[in-house]
Amino acid sequence: VSGDLSANVDPKEPHFYLYNFNGTHVLIYSCPDGASMKNRMAYPTCKSGVADQLKSNHGLQPVKKVP
């Protein structure tokens, strides 16, 4: 993980991040240990929906998904 990306990762709540690595889009899901159980359970169920929205609304096709 580059310094730029790690500086933007929320240490308390789960998030999806779209990272452009040399023209390759990588969808990253980050879930810190201290996140609420509700968020820890909800976010993973949304991963394919997030990827679908990126493709249909923005024309972006993540080629790699990092859990």
Side-chain angles (χ1 to χ4, degrees):
V1 177
S2 77
D4 293 337
L5 181 61
S6 63
N8 293 308
V9 173
D10 188 327
K12 296 181 181 177
E13 294 297 327
H15 286 282
F16 291 104
Y17 298 93
L18 185 63
Y19 185 65
N20 185 341
F21 180 72
N22 296 330
T24 300
H25 294 99
V26 181
L27 181 61
I28 301 169
Y29 167 62
S30 170
C31 184
D33 291 336
S36 71
M37 183 57 72
K38 178 181 174 184
N39 284 342
R40 292 173 64 102
M41 299 297 287
Y43 270 74
T45 63
C46 300
K47 185 165 58 171
S48 63
V50 169
D52 290 345
Q53 289 295 316
L54 287 170
K55 183 178 180 182
S56 64
N57 292 339
H58 303 285
L60 297 175
Q61 178 67 41
V63 295
K64 186 165 194 128
K65 296 174 187 170
V66 178

Short mmCIF file of all heavy atoms in Angstrom, two decimals:
data_model
loop_
_atom_site.label_atom_id
_atom_site.label_comp_id
_atom_site.label_asym_id
_atom_site.label_seq_id
_atom_site.Cartn_x
_atom_site.Cartn_y
_atom_site.Cartn_z
N VAL A 1 0.86 -1.18 0.00
CA VAL A 1 0.00 0.00 0.00
C VAL A 1 0.90 1.23 0.00
O VAL A 1 1.82 1.34 0.79
CB VAL A 1 -0.93 0.00 1.23
CG1 VAL A 1 -1.76 1.24 1.28
CG2 VAL A 1 -1.81 -1.23 1.22
N SER A 2 0.58 2.13 -0.90
CA SER A 2 1.41 3.33 -1.00
C SER A 2 1.13 4.26 0.17
O SER A 2 0.10 4.17 0.82
CB SER A 2 1.13 4.05 -2.32
OG SER A 2 -0.09 4.74 -2.24
N GLY A 3 2.05 5.17 0.43
CA GLY A 3 1.87 6.14 1.50
C GLY A 3 0.63 6.99 1.29
O GLY A 3 -0.07 7.32 2.23
N ASP A 4 0.34 7.36 0.04
CA ASP A 4 -0.84 8.17 -0.24
C ASP A 4 -2.12 7.44 0.12
O ASP A 4 -3.03 8.02 0.70
CB ASP A 4 -0.89 8.56 -1.71
CG ASP A 4 0.23 9.50 -2.12
OD1 ASP A 4 0.77 10.19 -1.25
OD2 ASP A 4 0.55 9.52 -3.32
N LEU A 5 -2.22 6.18 -0.19
CA LEU A 5 -3.42 5.43 0.10
C LEU A 5 -3.57 5.19 1.60
O LEU A 5 -4.63 5.41 2.17
CB LEU A 5 -3.41 4.09 -0.64
CG LEU A 5 -4.64 3.21 -0.42
CD1 LEU A 5 -5.90 3.91 -0.89
CD2 LEU A 5 -4.47 1.89 -1.14
N SER A 6 -2.52 4.77 2.26
CA SER A 6 -2.62 4.46 3.68
C SER A 6 -2.94 5.70 4.52
O SER A 6 -3.58 5.60 5.55
CB SER A 6 -1.34 3.80 4.19
OG SER A 6 -0.24 4.66 4.06
N ALA A 7 -2.56 6.87 4.04
CA ALA A 7 -2.87 8.10 4.76
C ALA A 7 -4.36 8.43 4.72
O ALA A 7 -4.86 9.17 5.55
CB ALA A 7 -2.07 9.26 4.18
N ASN A 8 -5.08 7.85 3.75
CA ASN A 8 -6.51 8.13 3.58
C ASN A 8 -7.42 7.03 4.12
O ASN A 8 -8.63 7.15 4.02
CB ASN A 8 -6.81 8.36 2.10
CG ASN A 8 -6.18 9.63 1.59
OD1 ASN A 8 -6.36 10.68 2.18
ND2 ASN A 8 -5.41 9.53 0.54
N VAL A 9 -6.86 5.97 4.66
CA VAL A 9 -7.67 4.87 5.18
C VAL A 9 -8.21 5.24 6.56
O VAL A 9 -7.45 5.63 7.45
CB VAL A 9 -6.84 3.57 5.24
CG1 VAL A 9 -7.61 2.46 5.94
CG2 VAL A 9 -6.44 3.14 3.84
N ASP A 10 -9.52 5.11 6.73
CA ASP A 10 -10.17 5.41 8.00
C ASP A 10 -9.83 4.32 9.01
O ASP A 10 -10.10 3.14 8.76
CB ASP A 10 -11.68 5.49 7.79
CG ASP A 10 -12.43 5.98 9.01
OD1 ASP A 10 -12.00 5.70 10.15
OD2 ASP A 10 -13.46 6.63 8.83
N PRO A 11 -9.25 4.66 10.15
CA PRO A 11 -8.84 3.64 11.12
C PRO A 11 -9.98 3.13 12.00
O PRO A 11 -9.78 2.21 12.79
CB PRO A 11 -7.80 4.37 11.97
CG PRO A 11 -8.23 5.80 11.91
CD PRO A 11 -8.82 5.99 10.54
N LYS A 12 -11.20 3.71 11.85
CA LYS A 12 -12.28 3.33 12.75
C LYS A 12 -13.49 2.71 12.06
O LYS A 12 -14.26 2.00 12.70
CB LYS A 12 -12.75 4.54 13.55
CG LYS A 12 -11.69 5.09 14.47
CD LYS A 12 -12.20 6.27 15.24
CE LYS A 12 -11.07 6.80 16.14
NZ LYS A 12 -11.44 7.98 16.87
N GLU A 13 -13.70 3.00 10.79
CA GLU A 13 -14.89 2.51 10.09
C GLU A 13 -14.51 1.82 8.79
O GLU A 13 -13.54 2.20 8.14
CB GLU A 13 -15.83 3.68 9.78
CG GLU A 13 -16.43 4.33 11.00
CD GLU A 13 -17.32 3.41 11.80
OE1 GLU A 13 -17.99 2.53 11.22
OE2 GLU A 13 -17.35 3.55 13.03
N PRO A 14 -15.30 0.83 8.37
CA PRO A 14 -15.04 0.17 7.08
C PRO A 14 -15.36 1.10 5.92
O PRO A 14 -16.24 1.96 6.02
CB PRO A 14 -15.96 -1.04 7.10
CG PRO A 14 -16.96 -0.80 8.16
CD PRO A 14 -16.42 0.23 9.08
N HIS A 15 -14.64 0.91 4.84
CA HIS A 15 -14.83 1.70 3.62
C HIS A 15 -14.40 0.90 2.42
O HIS A 15 -13.58 -0.01 2.53
CB HIS A 15 -13.99 2.98 3.65
CG HIS A 15 -14.49 4.03 4.56
ND1 HIS A 15 -15.54 4.85 4.25
CD2 HIS A 15 -14.09 4.41 5.79
CE1 HIS A 15 -15.77 5.68 5.25
NE2 HIS A 15 -14.88 5.43 6.20
N PHE A 16 -14.92 1.29 1.27
CA PHE A 16 -14.41 0.82 -0.01
C PHE A 16 -13.53 1.93 -0.56
O PHE A 16 -13.87 3.10 -0.46
CB PHE A 16 -15.55 0.55 -1.00
CG PHE A 16 -16.39 -0.63 -0.63
CD1 PHE A 16 -17.63 -0.45 -0.09
CD2 PHE A 16 -15.92 -1.91 -0.84
CE1 PHE A 16 -18.42 -1.54 0.25
CE2 PHE A 16 -16.69 -3.01 -0.50
CZ PHE A 16 -17.94 -2.82 0.05
N TYR A 17 -12.43 1.54 -1.18
CA TYR A 17 -11.53 2.49 -1.81
C TYR A 17 -11.30 2.02 -3.24
O TYR A 17 -11.12 0.82 -3.47
CB TYR A 17 -10.19 2.57 -1.08
CG TYR A 17 -10.33 3.04 0.35
CD1 TYR A 17 -10.46 2.14 1.39
CD2 TYR A 17 -10.34 4.40 0.65
CE1 TYR A 17 -10.60 2.58 2.70
CE2 TYR A 17 -10.48 4.84 1.95
CZ TYR A 17 -10.61 3.92 2.98
OH TYR A 17 -10.75 4.36 4.27
N LEU A 18 -11.31 2.93 -4.17
CA LEU A 18 -10.96 2.62 -5.55
C LEU A 18 -9.59 3.22 -5.79
O LEU A 18 -9.41 4.44 -5.72
CB LEU A 18 -11.99 3.22 -6.52
CG LEU A 18 -11.78 2.86 -7.98
CD1 LEU A 18 -11.93 1.35 -8.19
CD2 LEU A 18 -12.76 3.62 -8.85
N TYR A 19 -8.65 2.37 -6.07
CA TYR A 19 -7.26 2.79 -6.21
C TYR A 19 -6.83 2.59 -7.66
O TYR A 19 -7.03 1.51 -8.23
CB TYR A 19 -6.40 1.95 -5.27
CG TYR A 19 -4.95 2.36 -5.22
CD1 TYR A 19 -4.56 3.59 -4.73
CD2 TYR A 19 -3.95 1.48 -5.63
CE1 TYR A 19 -3.23 3.96 -4.66
CE2 TYR A 19 -2.62 1.84 -5.57
CZ TYR A 19 -2.26 3.08 -5.08
OH TYR A 19 -0.95 3.43 -5.02
N ASN A 20 -6.29 3.62 -8.26
CA ASN A 20 -5.78 3.54 -9.62
C ASN A 20 -4.28 3.27 -9.54
O ASN A 20 -3.50 4.15 -9.19
CB ASN A 20 -6.06 4.84 -10.36
CG ASN A 20 -5.66 4.78 -11.81
OD1 ASN A 20 -4.87 3.94 -12.22
ND2 ASN A 20 -6.20 5.69 -12.59
N PHE A 21 -3.91 2.06 -9.88
CA PHE A 21 -2.52 1.66 -9.83
C PHE A 21 -2.02 1.47 -11.26
O PHE A 21 -2.34 0.47 -11.91
CB PHE A 21 -2.36 0.36 -9.03
CG PHE A 21 -0.95 -0.13 -8.93
CD1 PHE A 21 -0.03 0.54 -8.15
CD2 PHE A 21 -0.54 -1.25 -9.63
CE1 PHE A 21 1.27 0.10 -8.05
CE2 PHE A 21 0.76 -1.70 -9.54
CZ PHE A 21 1.67 -1.02 -8.75
N ASN A 22 -1.31 2.46 -11.76
CA ASN A 22 -0.77 2.42 -13.12
C ASN A 22 -1.84 2.11 -14.15
O ASN A 22 -1.64 1.29 -15.04
CB ASN A 22 0.37 1.40 -13.21
CG ASN A 22 1.56 1.77 -12.37
OD1 ASN A 22 1.82 2.94 -12.15
ND2 ASN A 22 2.26 0.78 -11.87
N GLY A 23 -3.01 2.74 -14.03
CA GLY A 23 -4.09 2.54 -14.99
C GLY A 23 -4.99 1.35 -14.70
O GLY A 23 -5.95 1.11 -15.41
N THR A 24 -4.68 0.58 -13.67
CA THR A 24 -5.49 -0.56 -13.28
C THR A 24 -6.30 -0.17 -12.05
O THR A 24 -5.74 0.28 -11.05
CB THR A 24 -4.60 -1.78 -12.95
OG1 THR A 24 -3.85 -2.12 -14.10
CG2 THR A 24 -5.44 -2.96 -12.51
N HIS A 25 -7.62 -0.33 -12.13
CA HIS A 25 -8.48 0.01 -11.00
C HIS A 25 -8.58 -1.17 -10.04
O HIS A 25 -8.92 -2.28 -10.45
CB HIS A 25 -9.86 0.42 -11.49
CG HIS A 25 -9.83 1.67 -12.27
ND1 HIS A 25 -9.83 1.69 -13.63
CD2 HIS A 25 -9.76 2.96 -11.87
CE1 HIS A 25 -9.78 2.93 -14.06
NE2 HIS A 25 -9.73 3.73 -13.01
N VAL A 26 -8.30 -0.91 -8.79
CA VAL A 26 -8.35 -1.94 -7.75
C VAL A 26 -9.37 -1.50 -6.70
O VAL A 26 -9.27 -0.41 -6.14
CB VAL A 26 -6.96 -2.13 -7.10
CG1 VAL A 26 -7.01 -3.22 -6.04
CG2 VAL A 26 -5.90 -2.44 -8.15
N LEU A 27 -10.37 -2.35 -6.46
CA LEU A 27 -11.37 -2.08 -5.44
C LEU A 27 -10.90 -2.70 -4.14
O LEU A 27 -10.68 -3.91 -4.06
CB LEU A 27 -12.72 -2.66 -5.85
CG LEU A 27 -13.89 -2.43 -4.89
CD1 LEU A 27 -14.16 -0.93 -4.72
CD2 LEU A 27 -15.13 -3.14 -5.39
N ILE A 28 -10.73 -1.87 -3.13
CA ILE A 28 -10.20 -2.32 -1.84
C ILE A 28 -11.26 -2.13 -0.77
O ILE A 28 -11.87 -1.07 -0.66
CB ILE A 28 -8.94 -1.52 -1.45
CG1 ILE A 28 -7.86 -1.70 -2.53
CG2 ILE A 28 -8.42 -1.96 -0.08
CD1 ILE A 28 -6.69 -0.75 -2.37
N TYR A 29 -11.49 -3.18 0.00
CA TYR A 29 -12.39 -3.10 1.15
C TYR A 29 -11.52 -3.13 2.40
O TYR A 29 -10.72 -4.04 2.59
CB TYR A 29 -13.36 -4.28 1.15
CG TYR A 29 -14.11 -4.45 2.44
CD1 TYR A 29 -14.97 -3.46 2.90
CD2 TYR A 29 -13.96 -5.59 3.21
CE1 TYR A 29 -15.66 -3.61 4.09
CE2 TYR A 29 -14.65 -5.75 4.40
CZ TYR A 29 -15.50 -4.76 4.82
OH TYR A 29 -16.18 -4.91 6.00
N SER A 30 -11.68 -2.12 3.23
CA SER A 30 -10.92 -2.02 4.47
C SER A 30 -11.89 -2.06 5.65
O SER A 30 -12.87 -1.31 5.68
CB SER A 30 -10.13 -0.71 4.48
OG SER A 30 -9.56 -0.49 5.74
N CYS A 31 -11.64 -2.97 6.60
CA CYS A 31 -12.49 -3.06 7.78
C CYS A 31 -11.61 -3.19 9.02
O CYS A 31 -11.10 -4.27 9.33
CB CYS A 31 -13.42 -4.26 7.68
SG CYS A 31 -14.57 -4.34 9.06
N PRO A 32 -11.41 -2.09 9.75
CA PRO A 32 -10.58 -2.14 10.95
C PRO A 32 -11.23 -2.98 12.05
O PRO A 32 -12.45 -3.14 12.10
CB PRO A 32 -10.49 -0.69 11.40
CG PRO A 32 -11.23 0.13 10.42
CD PRO A 32 -11.92 -0.77 9.47
N ASP A 33 -10.41 -3.52 12.92
CA ASP A 33 -10.90 -4.37 14.01
C ASP A 33 -11.90 -3.65 14.91
O ASP A 33 -12.80 -4.27 15.45
CB ASP A 33 -9.73 -4.87 14.86
CG ASP A 33 -8.87 -5.87 14.12
OD1 ASP A 33 -9.38 -6.50 13.17
OD2 ASP A 33 -7.70 -6.01 14.48
N GLY A 34 -11.77 -2.35 15.08
CA GLY A 34 -12.63 -1.60 15.97
C GLY A 34 -13.97 -1.18 15.39
O GLY A 34 -14.77 -0.54 16.06
N ALA A 35 -14.26 -1.55 14.15
CA ALA A 35 -15.53 -1.17 13.52
C ALA A 35 -16.69 -1.87 14.20
O ALA A 35 -16.54 -2.97 14.75
CB ALA A 35 -15.51 -1.52 12.04
N SER A 36 -17.86 -1.23 14.17
CA SER A 36 -19.04 -1.83 14.79
C SER A 36 -19.40 -3.13 14.09
O SER A 36 -19.14 -3.31 12.89
CB SER A 36 -20.22 -0.86 14.74
OG SER A 36 -20.69 -0.74 13.41
N MET A 37 -20.02 -4.05 14.83
CA MET A 37 -20.41 -5.33 14.26
C MET A 37 -21.40 -5.13 13.11
O MET A 37 -21.34 -5.83 12.10
CB MET A 37 -21.03 -6.22 15.34
CG MET A 37 -21.41 -7.60 14.83
SD MET A 37 -20.04 -8.52 14.10
CE MET A 37 -19.10 -8.93 15.55
N LYS A 38 -22.30 -4.17 13.25
CA LYS A 38 -23.27 -3.88 12.19
C LYS A 38 -22.56 -3.54 10.88
O LYS A 38 -22.89 -4.09 9.83
CB LYS A 38 -24.16 -2.72 12.62
CG LYS A 38 -25.18 -2.30 11.59
CD LYS A 38 -25.99 -1.12 12.09
CE LYS A 38 -26.91 -0.61 11.01
NZ LYS A 38 -27.63 0.58 11.43
N ASN A 39 -21.58 -2.65 10.94
CA ASN A 39 -20.83 -2.28 9.73
C ASN A 39 -19.95 -3.41 9.23
O ASN A 39 -19.80 -3.59 8.02
CB ASN A 39 -20.00 -1.03 9.97
CG ASN A 39 -20.84 0.22 9.99
OD1 ASN A 39 -21.96 0.23 9.51
ND2 ASN A 39 -20.30 1.28 10.56
N ARG A 40 -19.40 -4.18 10.14
CA ARG A 40 -18.55 -5.31 9.73
C ARG A 40 -19.35 -6.34 8.96
O ARG A 40 -18.82 -7.03 8.09
CB ARG A 40 -17.90 -5.95 10.95
CG ARG A 40 -16.87 -5.06 11.62
CD ARG A 40 -16.37 -5.67 12.91
NE ARG A 40 -15.68 -6.91 12.68
CZ ARG A 40 -14.35 -7.04 12.69
NH1 ARG A 40 -13.61 -6.00 12.94
NH2 ARG A 40 -13.80 -8.19 12.46
N MET A 41 -20.64 -6.45 9.27
CA MET A 41 -21.50 -7.41 8.58
C MET A 41 -22.10 -6.82 7.29
O MET A 41 -22.29 -7.54 6.32
CB MET A 41 -22.63 -7.86 9.51
CG MET A 41 -22.16 -8.54 10.77
SD MET A 41 -21.27 -10.07 10.47
CE MET A 41 -22.60 -11.13 9.99
N ALA A 42 -22.41 -5.54 7.29
CA ALA A 42 -23.11 -4.92 6.16
C ALA A 42 -22.21 -4.66 4.96
O ALA A 42 -22.61 -4.90 3.81
CB ALA A 42 -23.77 -3.62 6.60
N TYR A 43 -21.03 -4.17 5.19
CA TYR A 43 -20.17 -3.77 4.07
C TYR A 43 -19.82 -4.90 3.11
O TYR A 43 -19.89 -4.72 1.89
CB TYR A 43 -18.90 -3.09 4.59
CG TYR A 43 -19.04 -1.59 4.74
CD1 TYR A 43 -19.77 -1.04 5.77
CD2 TYR A 43 -18.44 -0.73 3.83
CE1 TYR A 43 -19.93 0.33 5.91
CE2 TYR A 43 -18.57 0.64 3.95
CZ TYR A 43 -19.32 1.16 4.99
OH TYR A 43 -19.46 2.52 5.10
N PRO A 44 -19.43 -6.08 3.59
CA PRO A 44 -19.08 -7.14 2.64
C PRO A 44 -20.23 -7.54 1.71
O PRO A 44 -19.99 -7.94 0.58
CB PRO A 44 -18.68 -8.32 3.53
CG PRO A 44 -18.29 -7.70 4.82
CD PRO A 44 -19.16 -6.49 4.96
N THR A 45 -21.46 -7.41 2.17
CA THR A 45 -22.59 -7.78 1.32
C THR A 45 -22.80 -6.78 0.19
O THR A 45 -23.52 -7.08 -0.76
CB THR A 45 -23.90 -7.89 2.15
OG1 THR A 45 -24.20 -6.61 2.72
CG2 THR A 45 -23.77 -8.92 3.25
N CYS A 46 -22.17 -5.62 0.27
CA CYS A 46 -22.33 -4.56 -0.74
C CYS A 46 -21.24 -4.57 -1.81
O CYS A 46 -21.34 -3.81 -2.77
CB CYS A 46 -22.33 -3.20 -0.06
SG CYS A 46 -23.64 -2.98 1.13
N LYS A 47 -20.22 -5.40 -1.65
CA LYS A 47 -19.05 -5.32 -2.53
C LYS A 47 -19.41 -5.48 -4.02
O LYS A 47 -18.98 -4.68 -4.85
CB LYS A 47 -18.00 -6.34 -2.13
CG LYS A 47 -16.73 -6.23 -2.94
CD LYS A 47 -15.54 -6.97 -2.36
CE LYS A 47 -15.75 -8.41 -2.15
NZ LYS A 47 -14.53 -9.13 -1.80
N SER A 48 -20.20 -6.47 -4.36
CA SER A 48 -20.52 -6.66 -5.77
C SER A 48 -21.40 -5.52 -6.29
O SER A 48 -21.27 -5.11 -7.44
CB SER A 48 -21.18 -8.01 -6.02
OG SER A 48 -22.41 -8.10 -5.34
N GLY A 49 -22.28 -4.98 -5.44
CA GLY A 49 -23.09 -3.83 -5.84
C GLY A 49 -22.26 -2.60 -6.10
O GLY A 49 -22.53 -1.84 -7.04
N VAL A 50 -21.24 -2.38 -5.28
CA VAL A 50 -20.33 -1.24 -5.49
C VAL A 50 -19.60 -1.41 -6.81
O VAL A 50 -19.52 -0.47 -7.61
CB VAL A 50 -19.33 -1.11 -4.32
CG1 VAL A 50 -18.23 -0.11 -4.64
CG2 VAL A 50 -20.05 -0.72 -3.04
N ALA A 51 -19.11 -2.61 -7.09
CA ALA A 51 -18.40 -2.87 -8.35
C ALA A 51 -19.33 -2.67 -9.54
O ALA A 51 -18.93 -2.10 -10.56
CB ALA A 51 -17.81 -4.27 -8.35
N ASP A 52 -20.58 -3.13 -9.42
CA ASP A 52 -21.55 -2.96 -10.50
C ASP A 52 -21.84 -1.48 -10.76
O ASP A 52 -21.94 -1.05 -11.91
CB ASP A 52 -22.86 -3.67 -10.17
CG ASP A 52 -22.74 -5.18 -10.20
OD1 ASP A 52 -21.74 -5.70 -10.75
OD2 ASP A 52 -23.65 -5.85 -9.65
N GLN A 53 -21.97 -0.67 -9.70
CA GLN A 53 -22.23 0.76 -9.85
C GLN A 53 -21.03 1.47 -10.50
O GLN A 53 -21.22 2.37 -11.32
CB GLN A 53 -22.54 1.40 -8.50
CG GLN A 53 -23.88 1.01 -7.94
CD GLN A 53 -25.02 1.52 -8.80
OE1 GLN A 53 -25.03 2.65 -9.25
NE2 GLN A 53 -25.99 0.65 -9.05
N LEU A 54 -19.84 1.07 -10.13
CA LEU A 54 -18.66 1.66 -10.75
C LEU A 54 -18.65 1.41 -12.25
O LEU A 54 -18.31 2.29 -13.04
CB LEU A 54 -17.38 1.09 -10.12
CG LEU A 54 -17.06 1.58 -8.73
CD1 LEU A 54 -15.92 0.77 -8.13
CD2 LEU A 54 -16.70 3.05 -8.74
N LYS A 55 -19.05 0.20 -12.63
CA LYS A 55 -19.05 -0.15 -14.04
C LYS A 55 -20.18 0.56 -14.79
O LYS A 55 -19.95 1.19 -15.82
CB LYS A 55 -19.20 -1.65 -14.21
CG LYS A 55 -19.15 -2.11 -15.64
CD LYS A 55 -19.25 -3.60 -15.75
CE LYS A 55 -19.20 -4.04 -17.20
NZ LYS A 55 -19.33 -5.49 -17.32
N SER A 56 -21.41 0.50 -14.27
CA SER A 56 -22.55 1.05 -15.00
C SER A 56 -22.61 2.58 -14.98
O SER A 56 -23.00 3.19 -15.96
CB SER A 56 -23.86 0.46 -14.47
OG SER A 56 -24.08 0.83 -13.14
N ASN A 57 -22.24 3.20 -13.87
CA ASN A 57 -22.36 4.66 -13.77
C ASN A 57 -21.11 5.42 -14.16
O ASN A 57 -21.19 6.60 -14.51
CB ASN A 57 -22.74 5.07 -12.34
CG ASN A 57 -24.14 4.63 -11.98
OD1 ASN A 57 -24.96 4.39 -12.84
ND2 ASN A 57 -24.40 4.53 -10.70
N HIS A 58 -19.95 4.77 -14.08
CA HIS A 58 -18.70 5.48 -14.33
C HIS A 58 -17.82 4.82 -15.39
O HIS A 58 -16.74 5.31 -15.68
CB HIS A 58 -17.92 5.63 -13.03
CG HIS A 58 -18.69 6.33 -11.96
ND1 HIS A 58 -18.92 7.69 -11.97
CD2 HIS A 58 -19.32 5.86 -10.87
CE1 HIS A 58 -19.65 8.02 -10.92
NE2 HIS A 58 -19.92 6.93 -10.24
N GLY A 59 -18.26 3.68 -15.91
CA GLY A 59 -17.48 2.99 -16.93
C GLY A 59 -16.20 2.37 -16.42
O GLY A 59 -15.31 2.05 -17.20
N LEU A 60 -16.09 2.22 -15.10
CA LEU A 60 -14.87 1.65 -14.52
C LEU A 60 -15.08 0.17 -14.22
O LEU A 60 -16.08 -0.22 -13.64
CB LEU A 60 -14.50 2.36 -13.22
CG LEU A 60 -14.18 3.84 -13.35
CD1 LEU A 60 -13.96 4.44 -11.96
CD2 LEU A 60 -12.95 4.04 -14.21
N GLN A 61 -14.15 -0.63 -14.65
CA GLN A 61 -14.20 -2.06 -14.40
C GLN A 61 -13.02 -2.46 -13.55
O GLN A 61 -11.91 -2.61 -14.03
CB GLN A 61 -14.15 -2.82 -15.73
CG GLN A 61 -14.16 -4.33 -15.58
CD GLN A 61 -15.48 -4.85 -15.03
OE1 GLN A 61 -16.55 -4.40 -15.40
NE2 GLN A 61 -15.40 -5.81 -14.14
N PRO A 62 -13.24 -2.56 -12.23
CA PRO A 62 -12.12 -3.02 -11.40
C PRO A 62 -11.68 -4.41 -11.85
O PRO A 62 -12.51 -5.30 -11.99
CB PRO A 62 -12.69 -3.07 -9.98
CG PRO A 62 -13.91 -2.21 -10.02
CD PRO A 62 -14.43 -2.30 -11.43
N VAL A 63 -10.41 -4.57 -12.11
CA VAL A 63 -9.92 -5.87 -12.56
C VAL A 63 -9.45 -6.73 -11.40
O VAL A 63 -9.24 -7.91 -11.55
CB VAL A 63 -8.79 -5.72 -13.59
CG1 VAL A 63 -9.30 -5.06 -14.86
CG2 VAL A 63 -7.63 -4.96 -13.03
N LYS A 64 -9.30 -6.11 -10.27
CA LYS A 64 -8.85 -6.85 -9.10
C LYS A 64 -9.59 -6.32 -7.89
O LYS A 64 -9.73 -5.12 -7.71
CB LYS A 64 -7.35 -6.69 -8.92
CG LYS A 64 -6.77 -7.54 -7.82
CD LYS A 64 -5.26 -7.61 -7.94
CE LYS A 64 -4.77 -8.69 -7.06
NZ LYS A 64 -3.93 -9.61 -7.72
N LYS A 65 -10.07 -7.24 -7.06
CA LYS A 65 -10.74 -6.86 -5.82
C LYS A 65 -9.90 -7.35 -4.67
O LYS A 65 -9.56 -8.53 -4.60
CB LYS A 65 -12.15 -7.44 -5.75
CG LYS A 65 -13.08 -6.91 -6.82
CD LYS A 65 -14.39 -7.60 -6.79
CE LYS A 65 -15.24 -7.17 -7.97
NZ LYS A 65 -16.44 -8.00 -8.11
N VAL A 66 -9.55 -6.45 -3.77
CA VAL A 66 -8.74 -6.81 -2.63
C VAL A 66 -9.64 -6.78 -1.40
O VAL A 66 -10.23 -5.75 -1.11
CB VAL A 66 -7.56 -5.82 -2.46
CG1 VAL A 66 -6.74 -6.18 -1.23
CG2 VAL A 66 -6.71 -5.81 -3.71
N PRO A 67 -9.77 -7.93 -0.70
CA PRO A 67 -10.68 -7.95 0.47
C PRO A 67 -10.20 -7.05 1.58
O PRO A 67 -9.08 -6.72 1.70
CB PRO A 67 -10.67 -9.40 0.89
CG PRO A 67 -9.50 -10.04 0.25
CD PRO A 67 -9.09 -9.17 -0.89
#
